[in-house]
Short mmCIF file of all heavy atoms in Angstrom, two decimals:
data_model
loop_
_atom_site.label_atom_id
_atom_site.label_comp_id
_atom_site.label_asym_id
_atom_site.label_seq_id
_atom_site.Cartn_x
_atom_site.Cartn_y
_atom_site.Cartn_z
N ILE A 393 -13.60 16.12 13.74
CA ILE A 393 -12.43 15.58 13.17
C ILE A 393 -12.76 14.29 12.46
O ILE A 393 -12.36 13.99 11.42
CB ILE A 393 -11.40 15.46 14.19
CG1 ILE A 393 -11.02 16.94 14.88
CG2 ILE A 393 -10.11 14.94 13.55
CD1 ILE A 393 -10.10 16.85 15.99
N THR A 394 -13.30 13.43 13.25
CA THR A 394 -13.51 12.04 12.76
C THR A 394 -14.51 11.99 11.56
O THR A 394 -14.41 11.34 10.60
CB THR A 394 -14.03 11.08 13.79
OG1 THR A 394 -13.14 11.12 14.96
CG2 THR A 394 -14.24 9.64 13.47
N GLY A 395 -15.60 12.75 11.78
CA GLY A 395 -16.63 12.89 10.72
C GLY A 395 -15.92 13.45 9.41
O GLY A 395 -16.29 12.80 8.26
N MET A 396 -15.21 14.34 9.55
CA MET A 396 -14.54 14.97 8.44
C MET A 396 -13.51 13.85 7.75
O MET A 396 -13.53 13.71 6.58
CB MET A 396 -13.66 16.20 8.86
CG MET A 396 -13.43 17.22 7.79
SD MET A 396 -14.91 17.85 6.99
CE MET A 396 -14.99 19.56 7.55
N ALA A 397 -12.73 13.18 8.52
CA ALA A 397 -11.84 12.27 8.07
C ALA A 397 -12.64 11.25 7.40
O ALA A 397 -12.20 10.74 6.29
CB ALA A 397 -11.06 11.58 9.29
N ARG A 398 -13.66 10.72 7.85
CA ARG A 398 -14.50 9.65 7.26
C ARG A 398 -15.03 10.14 5.91
O ARG A 398 -15.16 9.31 4.91
CB ARG A 398 -15.56 9.09 8.20
CG ARG A 398 -14.97 8.44 9.29
CD ARG A 398 -16.06 8.01 10.37
NE ARG A 398 -17.08 7.17 9.86
CZ ARG A 398 -18.28 6.99 10.38
NH1 ARG A 398 -18.52 7.66 11.37
NH2 ARG A 398 -19.09 6.20 9.89
N THR A 399 -15.58 11.37 5.87
CA THR A 399 -16.15 11.99 4.62
C THR A 399 -15.00 11.99 3.56
O THR A 399 -15.18 11.84 2.43
CB THR A 399 -16.66 13.33 4.92
OG1 THR A 399 -17.65 13.10 5.88
CG2 THR A 399 -17.44 13.76 3.56
N ILE A 400 -13.82 12.47 4.01
CA ILE A 400 -12.69 12.52 3.00
C ILE A 400 -12.32 11.08 2.58
O ILE A 400 -12.07 10.95 1.33
CB ILE A 400 -11.34 13.20 3.68
CG1 ILE A 400 -11.93 14.66 4.12
CG2 ILE A 400 -10.22 13.23 2.79
CD1 ILE A 400 -10.81 15.35 4.99
N ILE A 401 -12.18 10.08 3.49
CA ILE A 401 -11.90 8.86 3.08
C ILE A 401 -12.84 8.40 2.07
O ILE A 401 -12.53 7.61 1.14
CB ILE A 401 -11.90 7.89 4.27
CG1 ILE A 401 -10.62 8.32 5.21
CG2 ILE A 401 -11.73 6.43 3.89
CD1 ILE A 401 -10.58 7.76 6.49
N ALA A 402 -14.19 8.65 2.23
CA ALA A 402 -15.23 8.08 1.28
C ALA A 402 -14.90 8.45 -0.18
O ALA A 402 -15.47 8.04 -1.01
CB ALA A 402 -16.51 8.66 1.74
N ARG A 403 -14.14 9.56 -0.26
CA ARG A 403 -13.84 10.16 -1.53
C ARG A 403 -12.46 9.60 -1.92
O ARG A 403 -12.36 9.39 -3.19
CB ARG A 403 -13.83 11.68 -1.34
CG ARG A 403 -14.01 12.53 -2.65
CD ARG A 403 -14.26 13.95 -2.17
NE ARG A 403 -15.63 14.07 -2.02
CZ ARG A 403 -16.33 14.52 -3.00
NH1 ARG A 403 -15.69 14.72 -4.20
NH2 ARG A 403 -17.67 14.79 -2.87
N THR A 404 -11.54 9.57 -1.10
CA THR A 404 -10.19 9.38 -1.68
C THR A 404 -9.71 7.94 -1.36
O THR A 404 -8.60 7.56 -1.86
CB THR A 404 -9.19 10.24 -0.86
OG1 THR A 404 -9.23 9.90 0.65
CG2 THR A 404 -9.54 11.71 -1.12
N TYR A 405 -10.36 7.21 -0.53
CA TYR A 405 -10.02 5.76 -0.23
C TYR A 405 -8.56 5.76 0.36
O TYR A 405 -7.76 4.86 -0.07
CB TYR A 405 -10.07 4.85 -1.37
CG TYR A 405 -11.46 4.90 -1.97
CD1 TYR A 405 -11.83 5.63 -3.19
CD2 TYR A 405 -12.64 4.32 -1.13
CE1 TYR A 405 -13.06 5.59 -3.57
CE2 TYR A 405 -13.77 4.47 -1.60
CZ TYR A 405 -14.08 5.10 -2.84
OH TYR A 405 -15.34 5.08 -3.19
N THR A 406 -8.25 6.64 1.17
CA THR A 406 -6.96 6.64 1.78
C THR A 406 -7.07 6.60 3.38
O THR A 406 -6.71 7.50 4.03
CB THR A 406 -6.08 7.72 1.38
OG1 THR A 406 -6.86 8.96 1.67
CG2 THR A 406 -5.61 7.91 -0.03
N PRO A 407 -7.72 5.48 3.84
CA PRO A 407 -7.98 5.45 5.22
C PRO A 407 -6.78 5.69 6.18
O PRO A 407 -6.83 6.39 7.18
CB PRO A 407 -8.69 4.00 5.44
CG PRO A 407 -8.18 3.30 4.37
CD PRO A 407 -8.12 4.18 3.20
N MET A 408 -5.52 4.94 5.83
CA MET A 408 -4.42 5.05 6.61
C MET A 408 -3.98 6.50 6.74
O MET A 408 -3.81 7.06 7.90
CB MET A 408 -3.29 4.32 5.95
CG MET A 408 -3.58 2.70 5.89
SD MET A 408 -3.55 1.92 7.49
CE MET A 408 -1.80 1.93 7.59
N GLU A 409 -3.83 7.17 5.75
CA GLU A 409 -3.35 8.58 5.71
C GLU A 409 -4.30 9.40 6.54
O GLU A 409 -3.85 10.31 7.50
CB GLU A 409 -3.10 9.15 4.40
CG GLU A 409 -2.08 8.63 3.55
CD GLU A 409 -2.39 7.31 2.78
OE1 GLU A 409 -3.55 6.64 3.19
OE2 GLU A 409 -1.69 6.86 1.83
N MET A 410 -5.62 9.43 6.21
CA MET A 410 -6.45 10.24 6.90
C MET A 410 -6.66 10.02 8.31
O MET A 410 -6.70 10.96 9.21
CB MET A 410 -7.86 10.32 6.14
CG MET A 410 -7.96 11.04 4.92
SD MET A 410 -6.81 12.31 4.51
CE MET A 410 -7.20 13.61 5.62
N PHE A 411 -6.78 8.74 8.76
CA PHE A 411 -6.93 8.59 10.16
C PHE A 411 -5.63 8.82 10.86
O PHE A 411 -5.82 9.29 11.99
CB PHE A 411 -7.26 6.99 10.30
CG PHE A 411 -8.84 6.68 10.12
CD1 PHE A 411 -9.14 5.62 9.53
CD2 PHE A 411 -9.66 7.75 10.56
CE1 PHE A 411 -10.55 5.37 9.32
CE2 PHE A 411 -11.02 7.40 10.48
CZ PHE A 411 -11.40 6.25 9.78
N PHE A 412 -4.57 8.69 10.23
CA PHE A 412 -3.28 9.06 10.85
C PHE A 412 -3.32 10.53 11.03
O PHE A 412 -3.03 10.95 12.20
CB PHE A 412 -1.97 8.83 9.93
CG PHE A 412 -0.74 9.38 10.20
CD1 PHE A 412 -0.01 8.79 11.33
CD2 PHE A 412 -0.22 10.46 9.63
CE1 PHE A 412 1.22 9.35 11.73
CE2 PHE A 412 1.01 10.95 10.04
CZ PHE A 412 1.71 10.45 10.97
N ALA A 413 -3.68 11.33 10.03
CA ALA A 413 -3.71 12.75 10.27
C ALA A 413 -4.73 13.16 11.31
O ALA A 413 -4.42 13.98 12.18
CB ALA A 413 -4.09 13.45 8.95
N ALA A 414 -5.89 12.45 11.30
CA ALA A 414 -6.91 12.79 12.35
C ALA A 414 -6.27 12.56 13.77
O ALA A 414 -6.53 13.28 14.73
CB ALA A 414 -8.16 12.05 12.01
N GLY A 415 -5.59 11.40 13.79
CA GLY A 415 -5.06 11.05 15.04
C GLY A 415 -4.00 12.14 15.62
O GLY A 415 -4.10 12.54 16.75
N MET A 416 -3.23 12.60 14.55
CA MET A 416 -2.21 13.72 14.97
C MET A 416 -2.96 14.95 15.57
O MET A 416 -2.59 15.58 16.41
CB MET A 416 -1.41 14.01 13.81
CG MET A 416 -0.43 13.00 13.34
SD MET A 416 0.68 12.62 14.75
CE MET A 416 0.40 10.97 14.96
N VAL A 417 -4.07 15.37 14.70
CA VAL A 417 -4.92 16.39 15.25
C VAL A 417 -5.38 16.34 16.59
O VAL A 417 -5.25 17.26 17.53
CB VAL A 417 -6.05 16.75 14.36
CG1 VAL A 417 -6.84 18.06 14.85
CG2 VAL A 417 -5.43 17.11 12.88
N TYR A 418 -5.90 15.01 16.99
CA TYR A 418 -6.37 14.87 18.31
C TYR A 418 -5.13 14.95 19.31
O TYR A 418 -5.28 15.49 20.50
CB TYR A 418 -6.92 13.40 18.43
CG TYR A 418 -8.36 13.27 17.97
CD1 TYR A 418 -8.68 12.55 16.84
CD2 TYR A 418 -9.42 13.90 18.71
CE1 TYR A 418 -10.05 12.51 16.42
CE2 TYR A 418 -10.70 13.78 18.35
CZ TYR A 418 -10.99 13.06 17.20
OH TYR A 418 -12.37 13.00 16.81
N LEU A 419 -4.07 14.41 18.87
CA LEU A 419 -2.87 14.45 19.83
C LEU A 419 -2.47 15.91 20.11
O LEU A 419 -2.22 16.19 21.24
CB LEU A 419 -1.72 13.79 19.16
CG LEU A 419 -0.74 12.96 19.94
CD1 LEU A 419 -1.50 11.80 20.74
CD2 LEU A 419 0.30 12.26 19.05
N VAL A 420 -2.45 16.76 19.17
CA VAL A 420 -2.08 18.11 19.44
C VAL A 420 -3.06 18.74 20.35
O VAL A 420 -2.75 19.44 21.35
CB VAL A 420 -2.10 18.93 18.07
CG1 VAL A 420 -1.99 20.45 18.31
CG2 VAL A 420 -0.96 18.46 17.21
N ILE A 421 -4.44 18.56 20.09
CA ILE A 421 -5.52 19.11 21.05
C ILE A 421 -5.16 18.57 22.43
O ILE A 421 -5.32 19.34 23.42
CB ILE A 421 -6.88 18.76 20.51
CG1 ILE A 421 -7.24 19.35 19.13
CG2 ILE A 421 -7.86 19.18 21.60
CD1 ILE A 421 -8.40 19.15 18.53
#
Side-chain angles (χ1 to χ4, degrees):
Chain A
I393 301 175
T394 307
M396 203 56 107
R398 290 171 65 197
T399 306
I400 297 169
I401 290 166
R403 198 169 269 273
T404 60
Y405 304 104
T406 50
M408 298 287 283
E409 288 87 340
M410 281 341 287
F411 279 137
F412 169 78
M416 289 300 122
V417 177
Y418 278 112
L419 212 55
V420 170
I421 296 178

